[in-house]
Amino acid sequence: MQRRHFLHTLGALGAAGALGATGPNALAAGPAKGAAEVDDSALAGTSGGTLSAWRGATPAFSLEGLDGKTYALSQYRGRVVIVNFWATWCGPCREEIPAMGAVVRQYRGRGLALLAVNYKEPATTVKPFVDKLPIDGTVLLDTDGAVYKRFGSLGLPATYLVDRAGNARFWRMGELDWNDVGLHGHIEALVAQKGGTSA
């Protein structure tokens, strides 16, 4: 039996458009009223298995952090980066934060970083949440959802693994099992690679 995952869907699947081969065209519509249960088989071609290979260009972005500073993905060249899109109202996002943080701490000394990109919420909502449930990484604010849309996902959480050269290599739509052997294998392979420049 296939493992079942939960995610909040944010929009409808559209025809391939501006994103080309990077993924399906997402039409972000804001928080769903409830979590939709989605079997992995229904996500074939987008997120089958723990992680799927990313195809196409990696969207460049810069966003304001919760600390008021501006951060660009390009600043992290030379490191392996987890880009995780999340929201405070997303149950699966909340559930995976502690396990995701444990993975970040495990590999941080070998060059792993986390960019936790909040989807369309103001700092006044995000900060109290993070004060209660700390996120072990840099929290960024995608206040209009534009960066999320460019990555072409369809729900939250959505996670992308970016290599040291700044190229997205793997992704997952929906909650990840952060103890999964396959996930750790991908991270191990990426941190072992040389490439990019130190941030």
Side-chain angles (χ1 to χ4, degrees):
M1 179 180 292
Q2 289 182 307
R3 180 173 180 172
R4 301 179 74 84
H5 296 269
F6 295 83
L7 69 153
H8 284 268
T9 55
L10 299 179
L13 177 63
L19 290 172
T22 61
N25 188 23
L27 303 174
K33 292 187 177 180
E37 184 176 3
V38 180
D39 190 279
D40 279 348
S41 61
L43 303 177
T46 56
S47 64
T50 300
L51 288 169
S52 294
W54 176 267
R55 310 230 188 280
T58 304
F61 67 86
S62 61
L63 289 169
E64 184 176 326
L66 198 54
D67 59 6
K69 299 177 183 178
T70 299
Y71 295 85
L73 180 60
S74 60
Q75 291 175 240
Y76 290 81
R77 291 283 175 90
R79 297 187 229 178
V80 175
V81 183
I82 295 170
V83 178
N84 177 262
F85 290 92
W86 68 285
T88 63
W89 45 262
C90 166
C93 302
R94 294 193 299 268
E95 290 171 9
E96 73 174 1
I97 285 172
M100 180 169 60
V103 170
V104 172
R105 292 189 297 274
Q106 179 179 346
Y107 291 96
R108 178 176 286 137
R110 297 172 62 190
L112 182 68
L114 169 65
L115 296 179
V117 184
N118 178 269
Y119 176 76
K120 295 181 77 169
E121 294 183 288
T124 51
T125 297
V126 178
K127 190 176 186 309
F129 176 88
V130 173
D131 286 343
K132 292 180 181 178
L133 183 60
I135 295 177
D136 208 331
T138 302
V139 178
L140 305 180
L141 303 172
D142 186 15
T143 54
D144 61 1
V147 173
Y148 170 89
K149 186 173 182 179
R150 287 166 61 195
F151 271 83
S153 193
L154 297 169
L156 293 176
T159 304
Y160 303 80
L161 281 181
V162 179
D163 67 18
R164 293 184 187 275
N167 301 309
R169 299 289 298 278
F170 304 100
W171 75 301
R172 168 77 188 174
M173 183 173 69
E175 188 177 0
L176 263 171
D177 177 0
W178 291 90
N179 295 313
D180 181 76
V181 173
L183 168 64
H184 282 258
H186 288 314
I187 294 174
E188 287 279 358
L190 293 181
V191 298
Q193 290 179 347
K194 303 299 180 184
T197 57
S198 296

